[in-house]
Amino acid sequence: MNPDKIIVPLDVPSQESAIALIDKLPDVSFWKVGLELFVSCGPTIIEILKERQKRIFLDLKFHDIPNTVAGACRAAAKYNVDLLTIHSTCGKDALKAAQSALVEGAAAVDKPSPKLIAITLLTSLNSRQLAFELKIPLELPEYALHMALLAKETGLAGAVCSPQEAEQLRMSCGDDFLLVCPGVRPKWADGGDQKRSMTPKAAFKAGADYLVIGRPITASDDPVAAFARICDEIG
């Protein structure tokens, strides 16, 4: 299995702890920078990863009105990351504006445009919460598919979904639509707060392009061995 297909989150509170984790896992080539770390140290962490020739998933999950998400995407384009996230629930106008602004921003700095991918439904939510807390009347798989199709229709590169929805999304959205799956847990790892998880091998079989695997690796007593074990299990 190509280890480049596993994205490891830098879910740490400081630049120092991020550098320590990056250096501890030299075989990891694709890192996710989320809200906690980006708010803590800003774009400096992007520069650090670029210096080490790593790929970057900037997971800031933009969610706002069209003008605001467009401005955020235009600004983010200069970082030259590989993947960037926005919530599908922003709506069609915002998704279109974000995609256009990202391409425009990348062209302005003569950089390749990051792939904009849409959050369908957070993997910490389950069917009951969708129905009773969010008051959404659709069944969860149907809702996730609708959110993914909204992203596809507006020109986005792909979507973030749980591996449990990957097979249906792959069939409906086609082979060129990128599917990034968090909520992936080896059988030997604790499930944590993930409600719709699957093993790494099963997630790839279901149609995932990339897996986001955090705590089974980063919280392990031996992160290097845990990462190697996951790569071996996928085969």
Side-chain angles (χ1 to χ4, degrees), residues 28-220:
V28 174
S29 61
F30 211 152
W31 292 93
K32 181 172 85 74
V33 175
L35 284 168
E36 180 181 13
L37 187 58
F38 196 79
V39 170
S40 172
C41 61
T44 304
I45 188 61
I46 304 294
E47 296 168 11
I48 290 167
L49 287 163
K50 284 287 181 185
E51 287 169 3
R52 287 165 168 75
Q53 297 182 310
K54 304 296 185 181
R55 299 181 72 196
I56 302 164
F57 174 15
L58 186 57
D59 187 26
L60 301 183
K61 297 184 176 72
F62 295 144
H63 192 267
D64 217 309
I65 62 173
N67 187 62
T68 302
V69 292
C73 285
R74 193 176 293 108
K78 67 185 178 185
Y79 298 141
N80 193 24
V81 299
D82 298 273
L83 301 174
L84 184 68
T85 47
I86 185 170
H87 278 280
S88 266
T89 47
C90 284
K92 191 174 286 188
D93 288 347
L95 295 176
K96 284 182 178 177
Q99 177 62 34
S100 296
L102 191 62
V103 172
E104 177 188 308
V109 292
D110 197 25
K111 301 286 186 184
S113 178
K115 288 185 167 71
L116 188 61
I117 57 177
I119 307 295
T120 54
L121 182 69
L122 298 174
T123 52
S124 58
L125 295 172
N126 59 25
S127 296
R128 181 176 177 79
Q129 290 168 305
L130 185 71
F132 291 98
E133 293 179 16
L134 302 185
K135 300 298 181 185
I136 292 171
L138 298 178
E139 292 294 325
L140 193 152
E142 185 183 356
Y143 177 77
L145 176 60
H146 176 66
M147 292 292 104
L149 288 172
L150 192 64
K152 182 177 173 64
E153 289 164 9
T154 47
L156 272 64
V160 180
C161 65
S162 100
Q164 291 185 9
E165 291 97 58
E167 185 173 4
Q168 182 186 33
L169 267 59
R170 175 62 64 217
M171 288 172 55
S172 300
C173 298
D175 292 339
D176 294 335
F177 193 69
L178 198 65
L179 295 181
V180 178
C181 293
V184 176
R185 291 288 183 268
K187 289 180 179 177
W188 42 266
D190 178 52
D193 56 2
Q194 301 291 352
K195 302 288 177 65
R196 308 190 322 275
S197 63
M198 190 179 279
T199 66
K201 190 168 187 175
F204 276 125
K205 189 176 180 182
D209 291 296
Y210 293 96
L211 307 183
V212 180
I213 307 177
R215 282 162 287 183
I217 298 169
T218 58
S220 168

